[in-house]
Amino acid sequence: MLTRLAFAVSVAVAVTIPSMPAAMAQDFRSPAAAGAKVYFIEPRNGAEISGPVVVKMGLAGMGVAPAGVEKKDTGHHHILVDQKDFDPKSPLPQDDKHRHFGNGQTETSLTLAPGQHTLQLVLGDHNHIPHNPLVASEIITITVK
């Protein structure tokens, strides 16, 4: 009897395990409005700036809402500093390289060390997860004097 039970359990596990990766890979990203884009109003690509760096963020095709507010076709800004790679299916971390503007801010001032830096805007949903499709600016390069 125990052998039959062990066999039944092993068959059930063998049938279930192959379908687990598909369930684990579920996409929880919020949909982005067609044609939505984020962009830098300021600074411009190639700018040479005496710090602090004033950043003005633009958004077209969607609205700005604070983090935690789940509303269709909205999100909030994140600035990636000197970061070229991130996981678009995961919440963006919050650190010096990933600046969050969860109160719905569209302007900020960044203190950056002198030298060359890259900046990119990424729109995140109510949970700081980038939208699907990704709403991100081009990466710009600035020099802080």
Side-chain angles (χ1 to χ4, degrees):
M1 180 81 168
L2 186 57
T3 305
R4 286 185 191 175
L5 178 60
F7 176 75
V9 168
S10 65
V11 168
V13 168
V15 169
T16 303
I17 287 177
S19 64
M20 286 179 71
M24 292 171 69
Q26 187 173 1
D27 193 344
F28 292 103
R29 294 179 292 168
S30 298
K37 66 178 190 167
V38 290
Y39 53 92
F40 288 100
I41 298 169
E42 234 179 83
R44 300 259 185 223
N45 190 31
E48 291 187 11
I49 302 164
S50 296
V53 178
V54 173
V55 179
K56 295 181 182 178
M57 301 166 261
L59 174 62
M62 291 180 70
V64 175
V69 174
E70 187 174 2
K71 186 174 179 188
K72 184 178 189 237
D73 294 337
T74 66
H76 64 279
H77 293 288
H78 298 83
I79 299 177
L80 279 56
V81 179
D82 299 327
Q83 290 292 295
K84 295 195 185 205
D85 296 314
F86 63 95
D87 181 357
K89 292 185 178 182
S90 296
L92 291 163
Q94 187 165 359
D95 55 32
D96 286 343
K97 302 286 185 179
H98 306 84
R99 311 285 179 99
H100 288 240
F101 300 92
N103 290 328
Q105 306 96 307
T106 59
E107 186 172 332
T108 193
S109 180
L110 301 177
T111 301
L112 299 174
Q116 199 170 71
H117 297 278
T118 60
L119 303 176
Q120 183 177 29
L121 288 172
V122 177
L123 193 68
D125 69 7
H126 58 287
N127 289 319
H128 306 282
I129 300 172
H131 290 78
N132 184 18
L134 180 64
V135 181
S137 71
E138 293 183 19
I139 297 172
I140 67 168
T141 301
I142 63 168
T143 302
V144 177
K145 298 182 203 177

